[in-house]
């Protein structure tokens, strides 16, 4: 209830101290906690509609935050959504989408070249 107080006089909605994670400083731990909270809120919206079962933190953020950030996001996402969702850190970096598009284009070109059919528009 609102009348309850946390130790140290802070109310229940007050920010709680964040312990350093994975060798990060206090400022780094606070940054990761805030980042994880924001990502979890966004992911909860997507999970509620799509129910993907797994969320991958891609790009440079996912690579830089790694498993520490993925764990923090998973913890917060579990509080926000009743749907069980695994959270993983991506390892491909920012060029993953470009690499995927190039591979898809190459595969399509090879299929059209060797199929004997006229190219699709």
């Amino acid at each position: 209830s609102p009348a309850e107080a946390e130790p140290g006089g802070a109310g229940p909605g007050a920010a709680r101290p964040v312990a350093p994670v994975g060798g990060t400083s206090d400022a780094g731990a606070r940054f990761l906690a805030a980042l994880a909270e924001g990502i979890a809120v966004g992911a909860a919206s997507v999970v509620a509609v799509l129910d993907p079962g797994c969320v991958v933190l891609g790009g440079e953020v996912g690579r830089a935050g790694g498993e520490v950030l993925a764990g923090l996001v998973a913890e917060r996402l579990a509080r926000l959504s009743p749907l069980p969702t695994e959270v993983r850190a991506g390892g491909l970096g920012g060029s993953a989408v470009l690499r995927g598009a190039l591979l898809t284009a190459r595969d399509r070109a090879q299929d059209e070249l060797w199929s004997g059919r006229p190219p699709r528009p």
Side-chain angles (χ1 to χ4, degrees), residues 24-97:
T24 62
S25 65
D26 287 343
R30 284 193 304 272
F31 173 78
L32 281 177
L35 181 60
E37 189 68 35
I39 292 171
V41 168
S45 301
V46 173
V47 167
V49 175
L50 300 177
D51 189 15
C54 181
V55 171
V56 177
L57 304 178
E60 299 304 323
V61 171
R63 218 168 86 202
E67 293 302 320
V68 172
L69 180 60
L72 292 170
V73 171
E75 175 187 305
R76 283 153 176 81
L77 185 57
R79 284 188 278 137
L80 295 171
S81 173
L83 302 171
T85 306
E86 181 180 1
V87 179
R88 294 184 184 176
L92 296 177
S95 64
V97 173

